[in-house]
Amino acid sequence: FLIITALFLFTAFLSYLFTGKADQSVVEATGDESLIEAGREAQNWLGFYGATVSHYFIFRWFGVSAFMIPPLLFFWGFRIVFQRQLIPLFSAFIFTVFAGLWLALLLGYLTHSMAGVNEISFLSGGLGYQLAK
């Protein structure tokens, strides 16, 4: 489950970099139309669910720091399934939290220091922007 979730998240996040702007209106209008119609309009490679998950993780929460979550889930799932540890999980978790917060903060500061909203405003996510503010 963790390995499949990691692959799903990574694919959704990668697709968001290319189709996030087009899918934003689809995700935000979820209550206005049926899920089937929203799924047809979503351009994310994983459809409506991929667009929704990546919108929340990247746009609203962590920004591109969300790309650190799938490897952590993959290593955790690998350890459970194969009873082998590729890297120390506790060290990887600490690194992921520390680097993710700092990357979000740095990108939030860069986004906040630029005048107005531009093409790279989503990189920091909501958390990075609010931390920088």
Side-chain angles (χ1 to χ4, degrees):
F1 175 76
L2 291 173
I3 293 173
I4 291 171
T5 303
L7 293 173
F8 175 83
L9 287 176
F10 181 75
T11 306
F13 295 165
L14 188 64
S15 175
Y16 183 82
L17 295 178
F18 302 109
T19 64
K21 190 183 279 187
D23 289 339
Q24 187 171 4
S25 61
V26 173
V27 172
E28 291 178 352
T30 315
D32 298 339
E33 56 188 73
S34 70
L35 289 179
I36 295 172
E37 290 299 319
R40 288 188 193 131
E41 294 175 10
Q43 294 181 6
N44 191 293
W45 299 337
L46 296 176
F48 176 71
Y49 296 113
T52 303
V53 167
S54 60
H55 175 77
Y56 278 98
F57 271 89
I58 294 178
F59 186 77
R60 292 210 175 168
W61 294 336
F62 305 115
V64 292
S65 298
F67 274 99
M68 295 184 180
I69 297 170
L72 188 64
L73 291 176
F74 179 82
F75 290 136
W76 189 20
F78 188 88
R79 180 174 184 223
I80 292 171
V81 171
F82 297 109
Q83 301 295 318
R84 294 187 59 215
Q85 191 168 348
L86 295 176
I87 60 171
L89 284 179
F90 183 72
S91 299
F93 177 75
I94 295 299
F95 173 76
T96 300
V97 170
F98 180 76
L101 286 175
W102 275 104
L103 182 62
L105 179 62
L106 173 68
L107 292 172
Y109 174 74
L110 292 174
T111 301
H112 188 64
S113 65
M114 293 179 186
V117 177
N118 55 21
E119 291 295 318
I120 63 167
S121 295
F122 73 93
L123 292 178
S124 65
L127 177 69
Y129 184 78
Q130 291 300 325
L131 284 173
K133 195 173 171 183

